[in-house]
């Protein structure tokens, strides 16, 4: 590897420093002593929700973590199992019901200020409202270059993420192996996951 | 803004070291920069960089990994193999582009 010139500003790519340096053992020891794990950084996501809007956070942050060289594990449990069920994962829904933060930027065109008004909860229960809200969210995500859930799982798997289904949820939902997204590595128990996630930062969604 | 000099090439960068002007880039400079991160720029390494440069010139933004797959036809696994660790940042840096801002 060529030597970096003095004063050369370059991004930190997190690659191991060249061993011939010889001036940093004290710092290296101090860092190792304060970290809980000495290996590369790891993140473990627990996805417990099956609504479209709650499916995306782990996929987006997980993908970002992978591009930053962080090892990523995702455990799909309870309603989160729908994210890896090929029968339904392209049909996850977004509902206004129970979401008091739901307001629409587009409504500013109708009347300025309306974009900050929460949509009345009663409207969320009207027939067709969930389908409309879902379609709208999918369109907005598409505009931002965010792929649909099945394609997102493929992207994560190609980037090296490890995906697991929760055995208890799998049994409870009477799911069959044929319906699992092909990128899922296995159906494992909570204890298995805890073991696999050793030293990882846990994100529960 | 900091100015970097490498083997006679001079270019301005942001505080992190990403290019601020893609026109200050050249394939020779990229090859020299790649050596700093222990990478040899062969054709396989250059292809994604060339796509990124033309895509960024056309759309005004450093392409994301998904865009490189969906639009450029690159294999994600292959990109991680060519540029292990932080592939998007490494490629953007070597392609002389600003730091990527896309999330996916």
């Amino acid at each position: 590897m060529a030597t970096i010139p003095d004063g050369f500003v370059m991004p930190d790519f997190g690659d191991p420093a060249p061993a011939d340096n010889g001036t940093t053992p004290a710092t290296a020891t101090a860092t190792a002593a304060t970290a809980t794990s000495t290996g590369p950084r790891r993140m473990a996501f627990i996805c417990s929700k099956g609504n479209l809007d709650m499916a995306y956070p782990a996929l987006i942050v997980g993908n970002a973590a992978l591009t930053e060289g962080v090892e990523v594990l995702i455990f799909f449990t309870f309603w989160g199992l729908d994210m890896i069920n090929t029968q339904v994962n392209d049909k996850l829904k977004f509902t206004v019901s129970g979401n008091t933060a739901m307001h629409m930027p587009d409504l500013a065109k109708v009347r300025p200020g309306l974009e900050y008004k929460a949509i009345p909860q009663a409207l969320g229960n009207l027939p067709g409202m969930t389908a409309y809200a879902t379609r709208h969210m999918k369109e907005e995500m598409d505009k931002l270059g965010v792929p649909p859930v099945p394609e997102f799982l493929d992207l994560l798997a190609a980037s090296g993420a490890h995906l697991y289904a929760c055995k208890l949820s799998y049994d409870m939902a009477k799911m069959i192996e044929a319906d699992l997204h092909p990128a899922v590595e296995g159906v494992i128990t909570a204890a298995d996951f805890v073991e696999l996630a050793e030293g990882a930062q846990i994100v529960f969604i | 803004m900091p100015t970097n000099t490498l083997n006679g090439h001079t270019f301005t960068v942001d505080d992190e070291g990403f290019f601020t002007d893609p026109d200050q880039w050249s394939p020779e400079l990229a090859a020299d920069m790649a050596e700093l991160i222990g990478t040899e720029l062969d054709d396989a390494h250059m292809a994604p960089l060339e796509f990124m440069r033309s895509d960024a010139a056309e759309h005004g933004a450093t392409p994301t990994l998904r865009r490189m797959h969906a639009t450029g036809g690159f294999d994600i696994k292959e990109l991680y193999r060519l540029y292990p660790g932080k592939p998007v940042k490494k490629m953007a840096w070597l392609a002389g582009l600003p730091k990527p801002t896309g999330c996916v």
Side-chain angles (χ1 to χ4, degrees):
Chain A
M1 204 184 298
T3 318
I4 298 164
D6 279 342
F8 190 87
V9 184
M10 63 179 277
D12 175 13
F13 294 118
D15 293 325
D20 61 350
N21 194 320
T23 55
T24 53
T27 328
T29 319
T31 315
T34 49
T36 49
S37 163
T38 51
R41 192 171 158 198
R42 317 178 80 216
M43 287 181 85
F45 295 87
I46 300 171
C47 290
S48 71
K49 302 284 201 294
N51 288 358
L52 183 64
D53 54 321
M54 294 309 280
Y56 275 120
L59 303 179
I60 293 170
V61 180
N63 182 61
L66 288 160
T67 66
E68 283 296 295
V70 177
E71 189 183 348
V72 169
L73 301 89
I74 311 183
F75 187 59
F76 297 91
T77 187
F78 280 79
W79 320 119
L81 205 59
D82 271 6
M83 290 170 67
I84 48 168
N85 183 338
T86 54
Q87 296 290 339
V88 291
N89 67 356
D90 202 23
K91 306 181 192 89
L92 301 185
K93 293 180 178 63
F94 169 58
T95 179
V96 170
S97 298
N99 182 2
T100 57
M102 182 61 209
H103 49 95
M104 293 174 71
D106 288 348
L107 289 181
K109 287 180 231 158
V110 180
R111 180 162 56 81
L114 213 54
E115 70 270 35
Y116 303 119
K117 296 278 185 214
I119 292 181
Q121 283 296 295
L123 280 182
N125 295 330
L126 293 179
M129 193 60 180
T130 296
Y132 167 75
T134 301
R135 194 170 65 243
H136 188 68
M137 173 169 272
K138 283 186 168 180
E139 285 168 1
E140 293 301 312
M141 294 308 258
D142 186 54
K143 278 187 217 163
L144 292 170
V146 179
V149 172
E151 189 192 328
F152 217 145
L153 294 171
D154 291 334
L155 172 66
L156 290 170
S159 303
H162 302 286
L163 314 180
Y164 306 100
C166 161
K167 181 159 191 320
L168 180 89
S169 312
Y170 182 90
D171 291 343
M172 188 175 75
K174 298 183 174 53
M175 202 173 158
I176 57 169
E177 202 179 330
D179 289 342
L180 275 177
H181 188 279
V184 175
E185 287 178 28
V187 182
I188 65 173
T189 66
D192 290 337
F193 180 72
V194 169
E195 226 170 30
L196 287 168
E198 183 174 348
Q201 294 166 309
I202 305 283
V203 182
F204 180 86
I205 296 165
Chain B
M1 269 185 292
T3 303
N4 276 343
T5 305
L6 186 63
N7 299 345
H9 303 276
T10 302
F11 54 101
T12 52
V13 294
D14 66 10
D15 290 340
E16 279 183 81
F18 288 94
F19 277 66
T20 51
D21 179 5
D23 290 338
Q24 293 176 334
W25 181 91
S26 68
E28 298 75 35
L29 174 56
D32 288 346
M33 286 163 63
E35 277 186 32
L36 299 180
I37 57 169
T39 302
E40 196 190 326
L41 283 195
D42 53 18
D43 290 350
H45 282 86
M46 273 309 283
L49 305 187
E50 280 161 3
F51 167 77
M52 287 177 96
R53 285 188 61 84
S54 62
D55 190 69
E58 206 174 318
H59 294 95
T62 307
T64 62
L65 210 54
R66 191 218 174 195
R67 185 167 173 83
M68 298 193 61
H69 172 66
T71 311
F74 292 97
D75 182 61
I76 302 276
K77 268 188 193 164
E78 177 70 358
L79 293 176
Y80 270 91
R81 191 187 67 76
L82 292 168
Y83 295 103
K86 304 187 181 186
V88 191
K89 280 187 178 168
K90 280 184 179 175
M91 289 190 290
W93 181 64
L94 287 173
L97 297 171
K99 183 179 172 178
T101 53
C103 267
V104 181

